[in-house]
Amino acid sequence: MVYVTRKAHFSASHRLYNPAWSDAKNDAVFGKCSNPHGHGHNYELEVTVVGKVPDDTGMVIDLKKLSDIVEQEIVEKVDHKHLNLDVDFLKGFVPTAENIAKAFWQILQGKITDGRLYSIKLFESENNFVEYRGE
Ligand code: NI
């Protein structure tokens, strides 16, 4: 099996806030990440597909095809957006990196037909990232 990864970048704002809680509890749990008007990140995304290498093409998935899927299905929908307000598929979640990665998985899983989706890595900063590999 070979693991093929495409990287992408986007910039977005968000606020960590659970509407079921009081402002005081949100502040206690999320701290400055819960500031009312949000804050931004330059996110880095790594999408990894795994599969056997076919003899005829030599490619698990054409990286151009993977790049197009990530661009159209994810980046165009989240880049320069407010993740709490502007992105339909993130409605109803606290937009932590964990929840964003899981939402990306749900979308990409159905779109990748060469090989299979193996992992979503989402870097919120240089030092903080999450990885999701499905259930
Ligand atoms: Ni944040």
Side-chain angles (χ1 to χ4, degrees):
M1 300 294 247
V2 176
Y3 298 78
V4 175
T5 300
R6 174 68 191 180
K7 278 188 179 184
H9 299 87
F10 61 93
S11 300
S13 55
H14 74 167
R15 177 192 187 193
L16 301 186
Y17 178 78
N18 183 335
W21 294 345
S22 66
D23 286 352
K25 182 160 183 188
N26 274 286
D27 189 49
V29 172
F30 297 124
K32 64 184 181 181
C33 295
S34 196
N35 284 346
H37 300 293
H39 61 276
H41 294 283
N42 293 316
Y43 289 93
E44 273 190 34
L45 173 63
E46 294 183 12
V47 177
T48 300
V49 173
V50 63
K52 293 207 164 97
V53 183
D55 287 336
D56 53 355
T57 66
M59 295 185 288
V60 173
I61 182 171
D62 183 339
L63 272 162
K64 173 73 171 88
K65 194 167 160 185
L66 181 56
S67 157
D68 287 347
I69 292 169
V70 172
E71 192 65 28
Q72 286 160 21
E73 301 297 331
I74 305 292
V75 175
E76 282 181 16
K77 294 177 181 168
V78 295
D79 190 34
H80 288 68
K81 297 287 174 61
H82 194 302
L83 301 178
N84 302 64
L85 304 173
D86 300 330
V87 181
D88 286 344
F89 63 77
L90 293 174
K91 293 259 161 73
F93 301 104
V94 181
T96 56
E98 290 91 327
N99 277 332
I100 298 167
K102 287 176 71 181
F104 288 177
W105 176 282
Q106 292 304 325
I107 292 169
L108 292 175
Q109 198 183 24
K111 303 289 175 186
I112 289 165
T113 51
D114 301 328
R116 81 180 155 77
L117 185 57
Y118 174 74
S119 82
I120 302 280
K121 263 192 199 177
L122 185 65
F123 291 74
E124 217 173 47
S125 66
E126 199 178 343
N127 296 326
N128 296 339
F129 69 95
V130 302
E131 180 172 12
Y132 184 60
R133 294 183 182 169
E135 294 310 324

